[in-house]
Amino acid sequence: MKARGNSKERTAIAMLVLALLLPVQSKTVCVRTVRQARESVLKQDLQEMRKAIDEYTLKNERPPQPLNDLVDGNFLRAIPADPKTLKGDWVAKFDDVELAAKQRVNGIVDVRSNSGGSNAHREPYNSW
């Protein structure tokens, strides 16, 4: 029994299939890589802002009121853009901070992403 088409035809068909699939696969890899890079930047930005909030609170004996207090006090160069929303739209969490015996002051104690998205493990970015 003779195989359909010669080897050149089969090679051409295989190359065509690869040419069609490769861009789709490459796009998926690029999207995944960009997502992972943005997640890494998000983690780093949150860590830096949280550290700055803590340092500001200790040095000034009160928590920051707007996030810009961190810039004005030279604890951050600038408020970074959220890598997921691409805006400076962070959600600041306010709470009372006990500074001394019976002395409580309200201010920013944490910061979160304003993104409604989630990572590959379905963990919402705004819960990090």
Side-chain angles (χ1 to χ4, degrees):
M1 187 168 177
K2 188 176 179 182
R4 289 188 159 190
N6 62 29
S7 65
K8 286 184 182 180
E9 289 173 344
R10 287 193 306 268
T11 301
I13 291 171
M15 294 298 286
L16 179 62
V17 169
L18 269 175
L20 293 172
L21 291 178
L22 194 58
V24 172
Q25 202 169 23
S26 294
K27 182 179 178 184
T28 303
V29 169
C30 287
V31 167
R32 189 175 332 137
T33 302
V34 168
R35 184 184 72 230
Q36 289 170 339
R38 286 186 178 172
E39 288 175 357
S40 178
V41 170
L42 175 62
K43 286 178 184 178
Q44 182 178 359
D45 286 348
L46 286 169
Q47 183 179 27
E48 287 177 12
M49 287 192 294
R50 288 171 176 154
K51 180 181 176 190
I53 290 168
D54 292 343
E55 289 174 354
Y56 180 98
T57 302
L58 287 173
K59 181 178 181 188
N60 294 292
E61 297 182 357
R62 65 180 178 84
Q65 297 303 310
L67 286 174
N68 279 333
D69 281 355
L70 301 174
V71 176
D72 296 341
N74 294 318
F75 293 89
L76 290 177
R77 285 187 178 190
I79 302 298
D82 182 329
K84 298 309 288 181
T85 65
L86 303 178
K87 300 176 187 175
D89 60 349
W90 301 98
V91 177
K93 179 184 176 199
F94 287 79
D95 203 354
D96 288 339
V97 175
E98 188 170 336
L99 299 172
K102 297 184 182 181
Q103 181 188 7
R104 297 183 75 74
V105 180
N106 193 277
I108 298 174
V109 296
D110 197 9
V111 65
R112 303 237 183 240
S113 173
N114 197 32
S115 172
S118 57
N119 67 8
H121 303 290
R122 298 187 181 180
E123 300 165 332
Y125 295 123
N126 60 12
S127 71
W128 288 12

